[in-house]
Amino acid sequence: TQTVSQSDAHVTVFEGDSVELRCNYSYGGSIYLSWYIQHHGHGLQFLLKYYSGNPVVQGVNGFEAEFSKSDSSFHLRKASVHWSDSAVYFCAVSASSGSWQLIFGSGTQLTVMP
Amino acid sequence: EAGVTQSPRYAVLQEGQAVSFWCDPISGHDTLYWYQQPRDQGPQLLVYFRDEAVIDNSQLPSDRFSAVRPKGTNSTLKIQSAKQGDTATYLCASSLRWGEQYFGPGTRLTVL
């Protein structure tokens, strides 16, 4: 069974701060991991994904994520946030054994204060 | 390129009423997904299609929910007799095979 855990329901930072949103997964086979962003009242937008190779992947708008097999983690980071980054961020895992269905975490609400 | 479109954007029902949600995927995308997203939770897959065929509907409450994609393009998700527990946002997504999924804006359903 694949599970995705996002331990922080809410994160609040100030504009210009760096931020890390945490994601841990539980699965032992071939997987790929992704992050999505959801602004209030909108659908999800893809940010980035990892399947293999360089464990640090770059996404849109200055986001990056780092895969760690030893920690079973795929944390999302941004060096300097903007107020427009305020949104809910979802981590997702999918696996070949699950027909590549996306399993989402519960989400982290990021609030960026001016 | 137009994105995934959904209608209606909002629906409010009494328990026991029926409702249908419509999704128009991105042109050329052969795979279409319906997700249920309860408030403050991540999306959960209900059903997905490859062209007009249902690939997996194991998470669809079959006694009250149904989904079709008759021509392999647009899709309709129907709730026959809504319950308060169905209150959620219903998201449609499409992709080309196992590629990146593109999501529509969702339909926010409230069942009173």
Side-chain angles (χ1 to χ4, degrees):
Chain A
T1 303
Q2 307 158 59
T3 61
V4 183
S5 173
Q6 293 181 249
S7 54
D8 299 316
H10 300 274
V11 173
T12 301
V13 295
F14 289 93
E15 253 194 323
D17 285 351
S18 63
V19 70
E20 179 177 88
L21 305 182
R22 294 183 292 183
C23 173
N24 291 89
Y25 63 91
S26 172
Y27 189 74
S30 296
I31 62 171
Y32 87 74
L33 296 150
S34 51
W35 278 95
Y36 288 78
I37 181 174
Q38 186 176 35
H39 287 102
H40 182 70
H42 292 80
L44 278 72
Q45 287 180 278
F46 174 81
L47 277 180
L48 48 76
K49 70 180 178 185
Y50 170 82
Y51 181 69
S52 65
N54 188 335
V56 179
V57 291
Q58 304 296 323
V60 297
N61 295 333
F63 286 97
E64 67 174 31
E66 183 167 4
F67 168 72
S68 170
K69 188 173 183 179
S70 60
D71 293 340
S72 297
S73 68
F74 188 56
H75 301 329
L76 181 71
R77 302 188 295 242
K78 187 168 182 178
S80 178
V81 295
H82 185 263
W83 64 267
S84 61
D85 293 324
S86 294
V88 181
Y89 291 78
F90 291 98
C91 181
V93 63
S94 62
S96 56
S97 63
S99 300
W100 300 111
Q101 292 178 26
L102 284 173
I103 307 297
F104 288 90
S106 54
T108 297
Q109 170 71 59
L110 175 64
T111 301
V112 181
M113 305 292 285
Chain B
E1 177 183 86
V4 177
T5 56
Q6 292 186 245
S7 65
R9 291 297 310 275
Y10 303 92
V12 180
L13 309 173
Q14 298 288 336
E15 271 200 323
Q17 287 187 306
V19 63
S20 291
F21 309 133
W22 181 80
C23 173
D24 188 4
I26 291 174
S27 178
H29 279 192
D30 56 0
T31 308
L32 185 147
Y33 308 80
W34 283 103
Y35 290 87
Q36 181 190 61
Q37 184 180 19
R39 186 178 176 83
D40 297 330
Q41 295 184 34
Q44 297 155 19
L45 183 69
L46 290 173
V47 59
Y48 80 99
F49 299 84
R50 174 69 43 75
D51 299 319
E52 67 277 6
V54 173
I55 303 301
D56 187 345
N57 61 358
S58 59
Q59 302 304 311
L60 196 66
S62 58
D63 58 333
R64 297 184 300 108
F65 285 63
S66 61
V68 295
R69 193 186 184 200
K71 297 182 180 179
T73 52
N74 302 335
S75 177
T76 303
L77 176 69
K78 183 174 182 178
I79 305 176
Q80 194 67 29
S81 178
K83 297 182 178 180
Q84 287 188 350
D86 298 332
T87 293
T89 297
Y90 291 82
L91 296 167
C92 177
S94 70
S95 71
L96 191 58
R97 285 288 155 166
W98 304 121
E100 176 189 332
Q101 293 185 29
Y102 293 82
F103 285 79
T107 297
R108 183 176 294 183
L109 172 67
T110 301
V111 183
L112 303 174

